[in-house]
Amino acid sequence: MNDRLTLFLPCASGVQEFLADEVHGLTGLTGQDLLTLRGGVRVHAGWRELMLLNLHSRLAQRVLIELAHGPCASEDDLYRLAHTVPWENWFAARQTFKVDLTAQRSPLKSLNFATLRVKDAVADAFRTRAGGARPSVDTHEPDVRVQAHLTQAEATLYIDSSGASLFKRGWRQQQGDAPLKETLAAAMLAASGWWLPAERRVQGVPLYDPCCGSGTIVIEAAQLLLGLPAGGLRSFAFQHLKPFDPALWNAIKREATHPAIGKDAKNQPPRIFGSDVAHRMVDFAQRNAERAGVAHAVQLRGGDALQRLPPTDTPGMLLLNPPYGERIDVAGSVRQSRERFVSESSSADERAGDLFFERLAAHWKQHFAGWTAWLLTPDLKLPARLRLKESRRVPMWNGPIECRLFRFDLTARGTAASPTSAT
Ligand SMILES: C[S@@+](CC[C@H](N)C(=O)[O-])C[C@H]1O[C@@H](n2cnc3c(N)ncnc32)[C@H](O)[C@@H]1O
């Protein structure tokens, strides 16, 4: 149980530095025990950290346990490598499993065949070393997921300790057409500096998402403010692995419900605000906030972002992913439509989008002077549409879609928020 494990925590491209900060903040690990790689973080730690990271990480997609790594030039090499792993120490023959395989520049011809060889090696290892019984495969709801990753000359084999991807926090039942992934909302909070993952704390400034949809950003922020664990409402695959220690897990969960951070936030008036022009979305967000245990810490309202005034007297931070895939009426209301105003749009839709952002910038300059606005969008022309010059642009990926998180420092109309030409 105290054995040292090698863990790999994949994350969205560009998020790895924030994830390394988060892992350091949660576990105290540093140096060779915490390596930042492309698309993830590698950690040397024990079962305690494995459980902590599953329960608390907001940026990792999952926590994988590395079980073998070696040269791999053929399917036979892969089979041999997989056969060396003592799978029987990790799960029982009565449990089902599934193999997933990813590859980058691997010379192996058929990835399906490679997957099959790993599957055979796992089953054969059970038969030869664990007295005959072999686990069966379940591709839909396996008890155990094995992951193989192939590169040009090497293979790495993992067992997944998370199960469902960690962006699934367990509170979402109501979603809009385009909810933001929770992991991406957390990355926005870290990149904007509102959340300081290495220090396990949040900044005190008010946070406002005026296009909050199903509430992902405000709920992530409120859970951070209150010190609630990201995965407090869900279960994890490690609970079904053989080395799992329920007593240690219960202790970790007990500690998580007595968080060091957030203790002062419980009785404060809300500092986190969300609104949306679609009342249906506000209703979704409210119900999601209730399930996430943060309804008392957020204030959610209906209303047009072109009209809503700042929710506090003191300036704070606007953080949002504005409408992109919907049609926007210049009055500000969104026609419920699946048409895309950028990719499939008519020029009229694009003009409506331009007008919306032009008016949004004018509204912010008039009423939100002193605030900082951070907007995540795949639309690289957004600063031009807003006629504002960004003070920062952070590359981020929304799945396969390349986005930017733009920062604008809002000043009063007629003063420094300088106009920009198209970027
Ligand atoms: C890309 S979605 C945001 C998704 C949200 N972050 C979530 O996680 O569900 C954009 C949202 O902007 C809202 N919206 C569009 N026009 C608006 C306006 N004029 N005022 C306020 N909200 C608006 C839409 O109803 C939609 O919920």
Side-chain angles (χ1 to χ4, degrees), residues 178-180 210-214 216 276-278 303-305 321-323 326 332 334 356:
L180 199 62
C211 296
C212 71
S214 60
T216 318
D276 199 286
V277 74
D304 191 332
N321 65 314
E326 305 100 313
V334 171
F356 171 77

Side-chain angles (χ1 to χ4, degrees), residues 15 18-19 21-23 26 56-60 169 182-205 207 220-221 224-225 230 261 317 319:
V15 171
F18 300 121
L19 175 58
D21 282 350
E22 184 187 39
V23 172
L26 290 169
H56 288 282
S57 177
R58 293 186 178 273
L59 298 170
R169 312 287 201 221
E182 289 73 357
T183 37
L184 187 54
M188 291 168 69
L189 287 160
S192 69
W194 192 85
W195 170 36
L196 304 162
E199 298 169 33
R200 282 197 89 177
R201 70 180 180 88
V202 298
Q203 271 196 45
V205 298
L207 185 86
E220 279 297 304
L224 279 164
L225 183 75
I261 58 170
M317 185 186 282
L319 187 65

Side-chain angles (χ1 to χ4, degrees), residues 38-57:
R38 247 186 82 214
V41 166
R42 182 182 296 140
V43 170
H44 296 292
W47 260 83
R48 183 181 166 74
E49 287 77 16
L50 178 150
M51 293 195 250
L52 261 179
L53 291 168
N54 270 294
L55 180 61
H56 288 282
S57 177

Side-chain angles (χ1 to χ4, degrees), residues 303-316:
D304 191 332
L306 300 182
Q307 288 163 3
R308 285 211 66 94
L309 296 175
T312 58
D313 294 337
T314 42

Side-chain angles (χ1 to χ4, degrees), residues 389-403:
K389 174 86 185 107
E390 75 276 15
S391 56
R392 278 198 56 197
R393 51 165 66 201
V394 185
M396 286 199 166
W397 289 83
N398 187 359
I401 305 168
E402 188 177 354
C403 295

